[in-house]
Amino acid sequence: MKAVKMLILVLLVALLPFQMALAKERKSIDSYEFHDEGIDQHWAYEESENLLYADVMEGFMGDDGRMFIKLNEYITRAQFVKILVNALGLASDGSGKSFSDVKQDEWYADSIRIASDLGIIDGNDGYFYPENFITRAEITKILVLAFDKSVPFSNEGGKAFADIDHDNWADTFIQKASSVNIVSGYGDSFYPNLWATRAEAFVMLNRALQKEQSDLPEDTELTAVLKDYITSEHMLVETNQFAGIADLKEEYGTGFYQAGGGDPKPFDWFYPAVEEAEINIQIDEENMQFKVIEKSNRFAKVQVTGITVSVQATIPSQPELNQDFTTQMDNGEYHLKKDPTNGKWKIYNYQDR
């Protein structure tokens, strides 16, 4: 399957001007490739990658053009509120609460306005302290308030933590969040007053998003989107209309996938061979099947199997690059996100499993 996708992408090289015109209107692939040392071994890697690819959160671009997500650093109150508003697609026409330390021209001002207008956040004596680090207890309270209508929190069944007294202001929120395993603490302790790391914030938020089960999409809704996309892509490939694939990703994709992620990249040494290549691709969809792996109100994963691809590619000047093979495209997993503006499901990642 990877070989097929690589070949398709290689063919798209001839259309780079067209694709670069589109790229100007959206984030580049560099915005999704993080370079933190040892990141793939981090305990919060999977959840952080998921939020990054879905455009819920962003990393930090270094002077060298490389991006870092800095999972072990603390997260500020403003940063977390902005990520939460992005994740839920929150909007409000209200003015929200007035905070003396939140200037209207700051990058976080609108997110704080929306969240405060919806009753998700509050401050202290007219201040929000946006640049202060946020504690684990504060994050838990915000999550419970934000997801109160979509996650089945319970006042019973929560975990008892040795460092949380019943008269602690955060007790109710921590109990509710632990009742659905959004938070689990460290052994018998929760450490409510410790500043939260970006890793902890991302994991808690990702768990909350997966626990939303109040407005689930039908399986047929998800599979219909993928069937339309895949069959349209196959038609374009079989008829050598590769320019149309960029348009297709624009319509059905978002985040990482729309920016060109989720597929192997072509190699520079293949570029000169593209124009003279004689390509014949046949795709058999007769046994194509869909299986919904998991779903919540806003996110879903769907496995696609049963697609057979036959490829014949002849390159006269570089015969060592000739291709002639048939492969079964099995275990491909598409990750989808519900667009908060129009309610459409869009692909934000693809993974071979």
Side-chain angles (χ1 to χ4, degrees):
M1 183 171 185
K2 289 185 176 181
V4 174
K5 287 188 172 287
M6 186 189 78
L7 181 58
I8 291 173
L9 283 175
V10 167
L11 296 174
L12 288 174
V13 172
L15 303 156
L16 278 176
F18 174 82
Q19 298 214 43
M20 290 190 60
L22 287 177
K24 293 177 182 178
E25 301 174 7
R26 61 175 183 253
K27 293 164 64 175
S28 72
I29 194 66
D30 292 335
S31 300
Y32 300 95
E33 295 183 342
F34 37 88
H35 298 271
D36 306 70
E37 185 176 354
I39 186 67
D40 57 342
Q41 301 299 317
H42 197 285
W43 64 272
Y45 171 76
E46 184 175 341
E47 293 87 350
S48 303
E49 180 188 64
N50 187 58
L51 295 181
L52 178 72
Y53 285 0
D55 276 347
V56 169
M57 65 88 165
E58 297 180 339
F60 302 91
M61 198 64 69
D63 294 336
D64 58 359
R66 297 190 303 165
M67 192 270 289
F68 301 86
I69 54 177
K70 303 180 180 181
L71 292 181
N72 295 324
E73 292 191 2
Y74 298 126
I75 187 168
T76 69
R77 290 167 56 81
Q79 288 170 343
F80 183 73
V81 170
K82 181 174 176 59
I83 291 170
L84 177 74
V85 169
N86 287 344
L88 299 180
L90 298 178
S92 173
D93 294 328
S95 59
K97 294 184 178 180
S98 177
F99 298 111
S100 300
D101 54 353
V102 178
K103 297 180 181 180
Q104 296 308 305
D105 58 351
E106 291 288 355
W107 57 268
Y108 48 73
D110 199 48
S111 296
I112 291 175
R113 175 192 65 81
I114 292 171
S116 65
D117 192 58
L118 296 176
I120 295 172
I121 61 172
D122 52 25
N124 186 9
D125 294 331
Y127 293 87
F128 184 70
Y129 306 104
E131 302 293 349
N132 283 13
F133 295 132
I134 191 169
T135 68
R136 289 169 49 79
E138 289 170 337
I139 281 185
T140 304
K141 176 182 178 180
I142 291 174
L143 288 176
V144 169
L145 293 176
F147 289 88
D148 185 55
K149 292 181 174 61
S150 58
V151 172
F153 294 114
S154 173
N155 290 320
E156 301 177 355
K159 186 175 179 179
F161 295 105
D163 55 353
I164 301 292
D165 296 327
H166 289 302
D167 58 352
N168 188 309
W169 67 266
D171 177 61
T172 298
F173 302 108
I174 293 172
Q175 290 301 312
K176 284 186 174 182
S178 66
S179 74
V180 291
N181 297 316
I182 289 176
V183 300
S184 56
Y186 295 89
D188 293 330
S189 298
F190 186 75
Y191 302 110
N193 298 321
L194 287 187
W195 290 329
T197 64
R198 288 169 59 82
E200 291 171 328
F202 297 157
V203 168
M204 285 190 276
L205 175 57
N206 195 76
R207 288 174 181 168
L209 289 167
Q210 300 307 316
K211 296 294 181 179
E212 287 193 296
Q213 302 287 306
S214 62
D215 186 24
L216 294 176
E218 297 290 337
D219 287 3
T220 52
E221 180 182 2
L222 299 171
T223 57
V225 171
L226 285 178
K227 184 175 182 181
D228 287 345
Y229 172 75
I230 293 170
T231 55
S232 297
E233 181 187 43
H234 290 174
M235 183 275 293
L236 293 171
V237 170
E238 288 186 318
T239 56
N240 291 344
Q241 299 181 64
F242 299 107
I245 294 179
D247 280 333
L248 207 60
K249 278 199 169 187
E250 187 75 9
E251 179 181 357
Y252 288 90
T254 189
F256 179 59
Y257 194 79
Q258 189 182 68
D263 291 314
K265 294 181 176 63
F267 298 99
D268 290 343
W269 50 263
F270 212 122
Y271 291 178
V274 172
E275 292 185 1
E276 62 173 304
E278 298 176 6
I279 308 294
N280 179 39
I281 302 176
Q282 297 296 319
I283 304 175
D284 184 357
E285 302 164 348
E286 184 177 354
N287 298 314
M288 183 168 61
Q289 295 182 355
F290 301 89
K291 180 181 179 181
V292 177
I293 304 298
E294 61 182 55
K295 62 181 178 179
S296 59
N297 288 8
R298 306 167 207 272
F299 291 87
K301 294 181 181 180
V302 182
Q303 184 185 57
V304 181
T305 59
I307 302 172
T308 301
V309 180
S310 297
V311 178
Q312 290 180 320
T314 302
I315 305 173
S317 65
Q318 299 185 54
E320 70 276 9
L321 300 181
N322 289 353
Q323 302 270 358
D324 187 354
F325 62 89
T326 297
T327 185
Q328 190 77 17
M329 298 173 66
D330 276 346
N331 299 321
E333 187 177 281
Y334 287 88
H335 299 184
L336 297 95
K337 170 189 174 183
K338 190 174 184 178
D339 190 320
T341 59
N342 56 30
K344 293 183 178 180
W345 287 88
K346 295 199 168 187
I347 305 163
Y348 69 90
N349 193 17
Y350 170 87
Q351 292 183 336
D352 281 330
R353 293 296 188 183

